[in-house]
Amino acid sequence: MPIIETQGLSYTYSPGTPYKKDAIKGISIKIEKGDFVGIIGHTGSGKSTLVQHLNGLLRPTSGKVLLNGRDIWENPKKIREVRFKVGLVFQYPEHQLFEETAYKDIAFGPSNMGLDGDEIDKRVRTAARFVGLKDELLEKSPFELSGGEKRRVAIAGVMAMQPEVLILDEPTAGLDPKGRDMILGQIAEYQKENGATVILVSHSMEDIARTTKKVLVMNKGSVAMFDETQIVFSRAEELQSIGLSVPAVTRIFMQLRGMGYNVGDNAYTVKQAVERLLPLLKREVGNND
Amino acid sequence: MAIISAEKVKFYYENYENSDNQGNTPQKPVLDSIDLEIKKGEFVAVLGHNGSGKSTLAKHFNAMLLPSGGRVLVGGRNTADENEIYEIRRMVGMVLQNPDNQIVSTIVEEDVAFGPENLGVEPGEIRRRVDEALKTVGMYDYRLHAPHKLSGGQKQRVAIAGILAMRPECIVLDEPTAMLDPKGRKEVLDTISRLNREQGITIVLITHYMDEAAAADRVVVMESGRILLDGTPREVFSHVDKLRQVGLDVPQPTELCYELRKHGIPLPEGVLTAEECVAALSMLLEETYADN
């Protein structure tokens, strides 16, 4: 049984007004337990609208969201529990820090779950370790932290609820390469260690290519593709046709193939490209020796 | 001729907790004796990870910050001279990272008019400049729109138009695309490249996107408040190891050639774009196929 399933999910903003907009239309997807899924698409393609349905922040105009096989809106009074099970980290989550210390901010979610003090403390410290925050930072005010540290506090706050599904909306936006690599590494580790289901929304094809196992491509409110990362990136021409920019190495492979070289499938990371090209090029270098 | 020159610029943030009784601050300087000349008409990208001092340096270029030691000259005027500040800020405009933090008005054209109004430009001339600036950045059709309803890339272009209306000689952009999606990034980058090429406006682009830096004439890499590398993109990106050490990426095509070279494949150094990479690879593959 998939951990999350949507059936014909549609959402319309401002229905019955001149500003009516169908943000997502008839989305039916299944996400299995332990999956690491990337969601890509243009601004306005419906990515954020979709993920806000998965933890019940938005209620579908039509269609259903099932969590462990049960409609999350079956009993609207219990929607809060869904939010403990499906944790959502918003874009620029550091803008939402509000407590006096980083510790208290991370503890906010678990406290709301009604856990006892010891358990809360344990979870706060575990989550802080996951995102690489040192103990001494926990007693500081969020205002004293750097942008990257604040971001990690905010992510830890959701991880501390130990949700079955962790959704992150553009967790690396605005970070430098070092901060980006650190956060992506920590998310991948969290996913592996807890067997958690993770959904990563990103504009960065490179980030998606490096971390996720499956990719959901959104276009104009519908699902354009949903498949294993490798298969999605092998359809680079289609991705480009819906205006998504593919990684530079993928473009290099497309062009080489276009020139008639048999370089194999599209590569989407530098590592893959090296592996594919090396045997072809080695032959040539060897011949010259 | 240098439009901006930084001479042995040092900068410390005042930190009262750490300072001793004499008011001395023992901590490391944010900028540690920077010497940098930016020539008129240049397109310079400044790279560095967060905390490397790149934004602090940029803020010295239009007197938003004043050096703790050394001096900054803008068109020969010292930024520490209060009487020169108006002229310096007219000459050097600044675009910030978050487009929402720099909008002052509820209508696009009023926002663009804010700068020239403050300079005391007469109304007819303001009208002309606003229209021209909005046309230049491709936002003229949106002149009566509300800025908060625009996309991030459109907002940044309005911010650039606001500076253009002051007739600047130089625009400093501090990570203008960090919060934008790929489409918005392209819009902003195309706009600034065009301003540089067609109007000869000097551009200083602070960024941590390597592909943006690759489009500049010159790349300056900052690390720990000092200048680590300074040269053409080709020169700078040939130092793959050094860039990685300080937590920066290199463009993917550069990285691919670098990795292949490590395996003994004779590829040239300093490959920047996918096209160059394809050309270099196809030459080698050509020979392979010819052999068969």
Side-chain angles (χ1 to χ4, degrees):
Chain A
M1 184 176 61
I3 187 160
I4 284 188
E5 181 177 355
T6 68
Q7 297 175 341
L9 188 67
S10 299
Y11 188 79
T12 306
Y13 284 103
S14 314
T17 75
Y19 302 104
K20 173 175 173 296
K21 185 176 186 300
D22 295 322
I24 51 174
K25 289 169 278 190
I27 295 197
S28 301
I29 51 164
K30 287 179 183 163
I31 292 171
E32 301 295 333
K33 195 168 158 45
D35 268 353
F36 194 162
V37 179
I39 303 186
I40 50 177
H42 273 291
T43 304
S45 63
K47 307 183 296 273
S48 294
T49 305
L50 172 63
V51 295
Q52 286 177 46
H53 277 88
L54 303 184
N55 78 340
L57 276 181
L58 291 176
R59 194 169 179 170
T61 306
S62 65
K64 276 184 191 168
V65 178
L66 308 183
L67 176 65
N68 291 315
R70 295 189 65 165
D71 183 350
I72 62 168
W73 289 98
E74 195 177 69
N75 183 353
K77 283 187 185 142
K78 293 216 167 144
I79 197 70
R80 207 172 127 102
E81 277 166 35
V82 170
R83 297 198 183 125
F84 296 144
K85 287 182 186 155
V86 182
L88 175 59
V89 180
F90 284 103
Q91 278 179 43
Y92 298 99
E94 61 275 21
H95 294 170
Q96 299 165 39
L97 299 176
F98 64 97
E99 280 283 11
E100 291 159 33
T101 66
Y103 182 97
K104 285 187 186 170
D105 222 290
I106 300 173
F108 182 76
S111 313
N112 274 337
M113 293 170 78
L115 300 171
D116 68 59
D118 285 351
E119 177 65 17
I120 293 174
D121 185 67
K122 207 175 93 198
R123 287 189 174 202
V124 170
R125 296 193 187 276
T126 312
R129 231 185 350 264
F130 257 119
V131 297
L133 287 169
K134 294 198 192 89
D135 269 355
E136 63 259 34
L137 286 185
L138 292 178
E139 293 314 318
K140 285 197 171 180
S141 156
F143 293 115
E144 292 175 69
L145 304 180
S146 75
E149 288 165 347
K150 279 192 250 185
R151 176 85 46 102
R152 284 184 269 153
V153 168
I155 294 175
V158 177
M159 282 183 177
M161 295 197 289
Q162 297 184 353
E164 292 174 40
V165 181
L166 176 65
I167 307 176
L168 303 111
D169 196 352
E170 305 244 18
T172 63
L175 296 181
D176 66 357
K178 211 167 162 184
R180 179 200 65 205
D181 289 349
M182 201 182 266
I183 283 191
L184 285 179
Q186 284 148 354
I187 293 167
E189 205 168 300
Y190 172 87
Q191 195 263 345
K192 221 189 278 171
E193 214 162 293
N194 298 340
T197 311
V198 175
I199 301 175
L200 179 72
V201 179
S202 180
H203 277 306
S204 164
M205 298 286 219
E206 281 84 358
D207 287 0
I208 297 257
R210 283 191 310 174
T211 49
T212 67
K213 296 199 181 66
K214 292 176 91 179
V215 180
L216 173 70
V217 182
M218 295 285 295
N219 186 34
K220 295 179 184 158
S222 304
V223 176
M225 298 179 208
F226 184 30
D227 217 321
E228 281 170 29
T229 306
Q230 204 178 330
I231 298 175
V232 168
F233 281 100
S234 70
R235 294 162 71 182
E237 287 85 355
E238 278 171 80
L239 291 172
Q240 282 193 323
S241 75
I242 58 175
L244 293 171
S245 58
V246 297
V249 282
T250 312
R251 281 206 309 278
I252 292 171
F253 266 61
M254 286 164 68
Q255 287 183 27
L256 285 172
R257 243 199 346 260
M259 292 162 79
Y261 297 110
N262 185 15
V263 288
D265 287 343
N266 279 330
Y268 50 88
T269 65
V270 171
K271 202 168 148 242
Q272 281 177 333
V274 172
E275 281 165 12
R276 300 250 169 85
L277 288 172
L278 213 45
L280 297 173
L281 293 164
K282 269 268 165 73
R283 246 186 345 204
E284 186 269 330
V285 174
N287 286 344
N288 282 356
D289 283 346
Chain B
M1 197 194 91
I3 178 155
I4 295 171
S5 61
E7 299 170 359
K8 306 223 171 329
V9 171
K10 282 195 182 232
F11 185 78
Y12 303 85
Y13 279 106
E14 298 208 14
N15 188 334
Y16 296 104
E17 269 175 47
N18 292 346
S19 63
D20 59 24
N21 294 334
Q22 282 80 44
N24 295 319
T25 45
Q27 88 262 43
K28 244 177 63 185
V30 183
L31 295 179
D32 192 0
S33 206
I34 299 268
D35 281 304
L36 182 69
E37 267 202 1
I38 291 169
K39 292 188 194 69
K40 212 168 157 31
E42 256 187 326
F43 181 171
V44 183
V46 182
L47 283 176
H49 64 74
N50 293 344
S52 62
K54 60 188 191 310
S55 292
T56 305
L57 179 64
K59 288 185 179 127
H60 278 79
F61 293 164
N62 77 342
M64 272 169 82
L65 289 175
L66 297 176
S68 314
R71 60 177 192 167
V72 177
L73 301 179
V74 174
R77 299 161 200 267
N78 190 332
T79 58
D81 184 346
E82 270 186 46
N83 299 321
E84 303 279 22
I85 276 188
Y86 261 77
E87 184 52 19
I88 286 170
R89 296 218 169 121
R90 187 202 60 78
M91 285 175 72
V92 180
M94 188 105 172
V95 176
L96 305 173
Q97 183 185 108
N98 188 340
D100 294 321
N101 289 352
Q102 49 200 345
I103 286 170
V104 293
S105 173
T106 52
I107 297 171
V108 165
E109 64 175 15
E110 285 181 11
D111 200 80
V112 176
F114 183 78
E117 273 171 3
N118 275 328
L119 293 176
V121 175
E122 60 93 11
E125 173 67 11
I126 292 179
R127 180 77 258 170
R128 267 195 302 280
R129 288 192 187 187
V130 168
D131 289 349
E132 190 188 299
L134 282 169
K135 280 177 190 160
T136 307
V137 301
M139 288 298 292
Y140 185 70
D141 292 342
Y142 292 85
R143 64 192 178 281
L144 298 177
H145 284 228
H148 70 272
K149 289 197 168 169
L150 302 177
S151 74
Q154 289 172 331
K155 284 180 196 169
Q156 288 298 49
R157 285 188 284 152
V158 170
I160 294 171
I163 289 168
L164 284 179
M166 294 195 281
R167 299 272 156 90
E169 280 157 52
C170 175
I171 304 181
V172 178
L173 304 102
D174 190 0
E175 298 191 29
T177 63
M179 299 179 85
L180 306 184
D181 65 358
K183 186 163 166 267
R185 275 181 63 193
K186 189 169 181 307
E187 287 170 10
V188 170
L189 262 214
D190 288 350
T191 304
I192 56 181
S193 304
R194 200 156 34 79
L195 290 174
N196 176 254
R197 236 179 16 247
E198 291 171 9
Q199 306 200 9
I201 294 175
T202 310
I203 300 285
V204 179
L205 174 66
I206 316 290
T207 183
H208 48 238
Y209 287 113
M210 308 304 137
D211 50 341
E212 293 183 0
D217 301 326
R218 175 178 167 200
V219 178
V220 174
V221 180
M222 301 261 315
E223 168 65 15
S224 309
R226 292 164 183 259
I227 291 174
L228 181 71
L229 295 167
D230 181 354
T232 63
R234 221 171 279 286
E235 286 160 7
V236 167
F237 288 123
S238 65
H239 299 275
V240 175
D241 286 327
K242 229 177 193 175
L243 291 168
R244 284 213 185 127
Q245 265 170 30
V246 299
L248 292 173
D249 284 337
V250 290
Q252 271 193 344
T254 313
E255 193 185 347
L256 178 58
C257 290
Y258 171 80
E259 292 294 332
L260 289 170
R261 233 181 11 253
K262 274 208 303 208
H263 285 94
I265 307 297
L267 284 161
E269 278 193 33
V271 166
L272 286 179
T273 65
E275 286 66 30
E276 288 171 15
C277 185
V278 167
L281 284 170
S282 66
M283 293 257 283
L284 290 179
L285 289 165
E286 200 86 49
E287 294 172 31
T288 315
Y289 282 76
D291 286 350
N292 289 342

